[in-house]
């Protein structure tokens, strides 16, 4: 099918920053965001767009990036092992890598770029999901002015998952104007173009609120299948082992195990900003924190009824056991301004969320603890 022509003029008069929900709706109307089907009612979030799986998936031999000279389809011709129809549902097995063409595609104006990341529920299941574009040299980054399809690379690490056409595992943010980069660039932005931008260290809570209290969960290695579209359905005990505090001993992370923990600090995302969690310097320990690192405007904010919400941390240790101490810094929240306050905040109205006001919390697929 021939794609419609890009609009002759850019109708957005936006400041530099992440585009809010009303601007995303405008990009959809003017053809910069394209989809073969009408959007789901809650698909546009305060500062992001949920991305839906298409009807087919490709099991591939290895993860890949197409690079400047190739399209994703060219690489699939070489690396795909078989093509799967997922229109009515199919299992993505743990330990395997899949590429799924998404229903949404882009025709961005030259001054706009995009960033992908897993949805919170995806990260909390240890499903490693990254965005790929044609001629892309980086995961999760869409270059300015990109026109073309979008693909999800999906690699379940702990649980096998059942997905289908329309399942939403990842989301997309669109940025107008300049991009944030390393800490030096962020410092310049903080002092000049974006006075509200800031970096907040995030530390881990391994002490809890009472002696030997619950501080986290460790995934069971050989649990059952999880339907990615089911909510409040699975018993926690069938998939997770509770982790309890041991005062003055920290928490020993076993190599290769997957943990759900919580931040010591409450997180507060103002209505005119969004935030991304990024890994702390790997020199402080060989572990990874937080696969799904995006926080929409209003998360944990009093105006949206979220006071006291904490960041949930998806943690995996590599190669050797590693001790996490209470209050140890494990990541950084990088705040970035929106071009305009969104027309609706996270967790309010039609955007009611399973994670507003959260403490330690598993994904929405599991029944709440008694």
């Amino acid at each position: 099918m021939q794609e419609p022509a890009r609009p002759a003029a850019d109708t957005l008069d936006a400041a530099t920053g992440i585009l809010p929900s009303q601007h995303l709706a405008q990009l959809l109307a003017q053809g910069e965001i394209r989809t073969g089907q009408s959007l789901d009612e809650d698909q546009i979030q305060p500062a992001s767009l949920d991305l839906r799986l298409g009807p087919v998936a490709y099991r591939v031999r290895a993860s890949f990036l197409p690079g400047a000279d190739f399209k994703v389809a060219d690489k699939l011709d070489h690396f795909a092992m078989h093509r799967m129809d997922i229109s009515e549902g199919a299992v993505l097995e743990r330990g395997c890598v899949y590429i799924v063409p998404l229903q949404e595609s882009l025709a961005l104006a030259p001054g706009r770029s995009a960033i992908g990341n897993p949805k919170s529920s995806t990260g909390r299941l240890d499903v490693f999901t990254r965005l790929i574009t044609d001629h892309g040299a980086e995961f999760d980054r869409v270059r300015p002015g990109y026109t073309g399809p979008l693909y999800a690379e999906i690699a379940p690490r702990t649980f096998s998952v059942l997905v289908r056409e329309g399942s939403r595992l990842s989301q997309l943010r669109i940025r107008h104007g300049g991009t944030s980069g390393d800490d030096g660039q962020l410092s310049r932005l903080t002092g000049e173009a974006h006075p509200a931008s800031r970096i907040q260290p995030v530390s881990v809570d391994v002490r809890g609120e009472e002696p030997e209290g619950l501080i986290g969960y460790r995934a069971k290695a050989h649990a059952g299948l999880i339907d990615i579209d089911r909510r409040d359905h699975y018993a926690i005990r069938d998939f997770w082992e509770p982790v309890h505090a041991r005062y003055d001993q920290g928490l020993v992370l076993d190599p290769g195990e997957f943990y759900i923990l919580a931040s010591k600090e409450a997180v507060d995302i103002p209505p005119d900003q969004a935030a991304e969690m990024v890994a702390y310097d790997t020199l402080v320990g060989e572990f990874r924190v937080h696969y799904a690192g995006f926080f929409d405007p209003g998360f944990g904010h009093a105006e949206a009824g979220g006071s006291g919400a904490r960041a949930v941390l998806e943690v995996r240790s590599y190669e050797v056991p590693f001790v996490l101490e209470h209050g140890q810094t494990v990541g950084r929240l990088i705040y970035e301004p929106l071009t305009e306050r969104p027309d609706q905040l996270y967790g309010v109205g039609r955007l009611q969320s399973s994670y507003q006001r959260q403490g330690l919390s598993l994904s929405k697929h599991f029944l709440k603890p008694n």
Side-chain angles (χ1 to χ4, degrees):
M1 180 184 297
Q2 185 175 3
E3 291 186 338
R6 178 178 291 174
D10 184 1
T11 60
L12 280 176
D13 182 18
T16 298
I18 299 295
L19 296 184
S21 50
Q22 62 270 28
H23 287 181
L24 295 176
Q26 189 172 343
L27 294 191
L28 181 70
Q30 68 189 42
E32 289 192 50
I33 299 173
R34 299 171 177 177
T35 180
Q37 302 183 28
S38 59
L39 293 187
D40 297 338
E41 180 182 1
D42 61 346
Q43 196 171 342
I44 295 180
Q45 298 292 313
S48 60
L49 173 72
D50 287 355
L51 300 173
R52 299 172 294 184
L53 302 183
V56 299
Y58 297 88
R59 166 80 185 279
V60 294
R61 291 189 286 124
S63 172
F64 64 81
L65 281 166
D69 296 330
F70 297 96
K71 295 182 177 181
V72 174
D74 299 329
K75 294 291 186 178
L76 285 174
D77 288 341
H78 183 67
F79 289 109
M81 298 170 65
H82 63 90
R83 180 180 185 271
M84 303 164 51
D85 180 357
I86 64 170
S87 56
E88 299 299 324
V91 175
L92 307 185
E93 297 184 11
R94 64 187 291 260
C96 300
V97 182
Y98 302 86
I99 303 294
V100 183
L102 299 171
Q103 293 185 22
E104 289 72 34
S105 61
L106 297 174
L108 295 176
R112 284 193 272 277
S113 59
I115 312 156
N117 62 273
K119 288 175 61 66
S120 295
S121 296
T122 309
R124 295 183 201 192
L125 293 177
D126 199 19
V127 178
F128 197 44
T129 304
R130 300 189 287 192
L131 188 71
I132 310 177
T133 64
D134 286 345
H135 308 291
E138 294 181 281
F139 291 109
D140 293 329
R141 295 295 183 265
V142 182
R143 63 186 178 276
Y146 175 76
T147 295
L150 301 173
Y151 299 82
E153 178 193 278
I154 305 170
R157 301 287 304 277
T158 296
F159 308 120
S160 295
V161 294
L162 177 65
V163 301
R164 56 189 57 78
E165 182 178 9
S167 293
R168 290 145 57 173
L169 278 70
S170 56
Q171 56 192 175
L172 186 78
R173 289 165 281 154
I174 296 181
R175 179 186 284 117
H176 182 85
T179 61
S180 61
D182 61 20
D183 287 355
Q185 290 173 313
L186 282 164
S187 296
R188 291 193 292 274
L189 288 173
T190 301
E192 299 170 11
H194 300 314
S197 294
R198 67 185 190 275
I199 301 174
Q200 174 188 343
V202 176
S203 67
V204 64
D205 177 10
V206 294
R207 187 168 296 169
E209 297 181 356
E210 56 188 35
E212 299 185 354
L214 181 70
I215 60 168
Y217 296 92
R218 181 171 61 184
K220 293 186 175 182
H222 302 286
L225 179 70
I226 294 178
D227 186 332
I228 209 75
D229 295 323
R230 283 189 179 271
R231 301 171 69 108
D232 302 318
H233 180 74
Y234 298 100
I236 292 175
R237 65 178 179 273
D238 293 337
F239 294 85
W240 301 93
E241 297 174 349
V243 177
H244 296 278
R246 300 185 66 185
Y247 266 67
D248 300 324
Q249 297 187 40
L251 171 64
V252 178
L253 302 176
D254 293 322
E257 298 291 330
F258 180 68
Y259 298 82
I260 296 292
L261 304 172
S263 67
K264 178 183 174 184
E265 305 84 6
V267 174
D268 183 345
I269 311 299
D272 60 349
Q273 295 189 23
E276 181 176 12
M277 182 176 287
V278 298
Y280 200 60
D281 189 344
T282 55
L283 293 178
V284 303
E286 290 299 324
F287 61 92
R288 175 177 178 129
V289 173
H290 219 280
Y291 292 88
F294 180 64
F295 294 83
D296 266 304
F299 177 87
H301 194 66
E303 185 178 339
S307 295
R310 293 190 289 167
V312 166
L313 309 173
E314 298 107 27
V315 180
R316 179 184 292 278
S317 181
Y318 296 108
E319 297 185 5
V320 297
F322 186 82
V323 179
L324 282 181
E325 302 289 355
H326 182 69
Q328 180 173 341
T329 299
V330 294
R332 297 174 295 170
L333 276 179
I334 299 179
Y335 291 77
E336 185 170 0
L338 272 63
T339 59
E340 183 177 293
R341 180 186 168 119
D343 57 6
Q344 193 161 0
L345 297 179
Y346 179 88
V348 176
R350 65 178 179 83
L351 299 180
Q352 290 290 334
S353 170
S354 303
Y355 307 128
Q356 188 66 295
R357 298 176 297 277
Q358 73 180 359
L360 175 68
S361 177
L362 294 171
S363 72
K364 63 188 177 184
H365 307 90
F366 298 98
L367 294 166
K368 299 295 185 290
N370 293 329

